Amino acid sequence: MKQSETKKRIEVVDRANDKMKILTRRYAKAYGEEATLQVSGVYRKIGKEAFLKNSKIQRLDLPKSVLELDIDAFRGCSNLTEVNLPEHLAVIGKGCFAECPRLMKAEIPVYVQWIEEETFYKDRRLQTVNFAKRSHVQKIGMDAFRECGNMESIHLPEGVSRIENRAFYRCKKLAHIRFSEELKQIGKEAFYFCAFEKLELPLQLELIGERAFCKCTQLKELTIPESVNYIEDGAFRGCVRLKTLEILHDPRHIGEWIANHSTVIRCRRGSKVDEYCQKNEYLTEYVE
């Protein structure tokens, strides 16, 4: 289609869709034919599955008017490499950039509050995720970065209080993370099979979920903050290089087989943790 014909077609679509302010999958067909996606300033929202499995888009150039990206809006865009989003964008829907195998970099605007379920799921080349200064992000959703196998480090915004189930599952190169000081919960298998050698858990953390750090085979030592009340089953199971796990307080609940039996648990003599270790035949080292 000639450029002039494409322009006319887009103008017709924009006039038809102006009242809704939503670029739906039906009308999105008028766009997405070029390497750089350029959408007019008519739209406030990119609709559900609008550009699902588009194989031509390589970069996004969305107008400032866009405030929301709906569910799976760019899922499966096989040639998308970089995402720079409008500064006033507030919502990135579930699975929005999932299964984009060439995506390497994403910039998260300041007003986004949740990294939703499967937002960057299986983006195997994703290396860099930058959050805006004073980011509003409060939650990293379930499977949000699952199997992003090239991500080596990430700095989470200070407002993040929850990391949900499998959020960074099998991010096998993820060796460095800066947690928010406000983090309260780390969900089930959130960091399963990551590459941490060291971890500094935040001092307000309350819950470490089931198998949260399972098979982090490079992790060597760890101190559990006194704020942690729940350590669920298998939290550090399969961490074969974990020499010492220090727990100097008595959590309300300690699950089964929290670490391999080659790990020495440092605790206080006569504490509930000590009783747990004796019952489950863990080696102990006492701290007075």
Side-chain angles (χ1 to χ4, degrees), residues 44-60:
R44 297 173 64 85
K45 179 177 179 178
I46 306 298
K48 181 179 178 180
E49 299 180 355
F51 294 95
L52 180 70
K53 296 184 178 179
N54 183 294
S55 61
K56 295 183 179 180
I57 301 171
Q58 296 177 24
R59 295 175 299 278
L60 300 185

Side-chain angles (χ1 to χ4, degrees), residues 31-37 51 54-61 73-74 77-82:
Y31 295 93
E33 295 297 319
E34 305 293 332
T36 299
L37 176 64
F51 294 95
N54 183 294
S55 61
K56 295 183 179 180
I57 301 171
Q58 296 177 24
R59 295 175 299 278
L60 300 185
D61 187 12
F74 295 94
C77 288
S78 56
N79 283 301
L80 184 63
T81 60
E82 186 171 341

Side-chain angles (χ1 to χ4, degrees), residues 51-55 57-58 60 72-83 95-106 118-127 146-149:
F51 294 95
L52 180 70
K53 296 184 178 179
N54 183 294
S55 61
I57 301 171
Q58 296 177 24
L60 300 185
D72 296 335
F74 295 94
R75 191 180 192 119
C77 288
S78 56
N79 283 301
L80 184 63
T81 60
E82 186 171 341
V83 172
C96 187
F97 297 105
E99 298 174 297
C100 294
R102 295 180 183 272
L103 183 62
M104 298 179 67
K105 181 180 179 182
E118 293 190 5
T119 300
F120 297 98
Y121 172 64
K122 285 191 176 180
D123 290 349
R124 301 190 192 280
R125 293 191 187 181
L126 184 65
Q127 295 178 337
R146 178 173 177 164
E147 296 183 48
C148 291

Side-chain angles (χ1 to χ4, degrees), residues 230-277:
Y230 300 91
I231 305 173
E232 302 291 354
D233 297 355
F236 304 97
R237 178 179 173 182
C239 298
V240 294
R241 290 182 175 83
L242 184 61
K243 294 179 180 179
T244 59
L245 179 63
E246 184 173 278
I247 312 174
L248 299 183
H249 68 294
D250 285 329
R252 294 178 187 175
H253 172 77
I254 304 176
E256 296 181 3
W257 199 358
I258 59 169
N260 288 13
H261 280 86
S262 58
T263 299
V264 175
I265 296 182
R266 302 182 74 228
C267 62
R268 300 193 187 280
R269 189 186 300 272
S271 65
K272 292 181 181 179
V273 176
D274 186 14
E275 292 177 11
Y276 171 89
C277 292

Side-chain angles (χ1 to χ4, degrees), residues 98-139:
E99 298 174 297
C100 294
R102 295 180 183 272
L103 183 62
M104 298 179 67
K105 181 180 179 182
E107 304 280 345
I108 309 299
V110 64
Y111 297 110
V112 173
Q113 291 186 310
W114 296 283
I115 304 299
E116 293 281 9
E117 180 179 335
E118 293 190 5
T119 300
F120 297 98
Y121 172 64
K122 285 191 176 180
D123 290 349
R124 301 190 192 280
R125 293 191 187 181
L126 184 65
Q127 295 178 337
T128 304
V129 179
N130 293 326
F131 296 88
K133 291 182 180 180
R134 297 181 293 278
S135 170
H136 288 39
V137 171
Q138 300 172 20
K139 178 186 76 173

Side-chain angles (χ1 to χ4, degrees), residues 146-190:
R146 178 173 177 164
E147 296 183 48
C148 291
N150 264 333
M151 184 187 297
E152 296 181 2
S153 66
I154 191 167
H155 288 186
L156 299 179
E158 281 306 315
V160 173
S161 62
R162 293 168 56 193
I163 298 174
E164 298 199 337
N165 297 350
R166 298 180 300 279
F168 294 90
Y169 181 95
R170 293 188 68 87
C171 290
K172 58 185 180 180
K173 291 186 180 180
L174 184 60
H176 304 283
I177 186 167
R178 187 183 70 186
F179 292 110
S180 161
E181 292 181 4
E182 297 182 20
L183 184 65
K184 299 291 181 64
Q185 297 182 15
I186 296 175
K188 178 180 178 180
E189 297 179 341

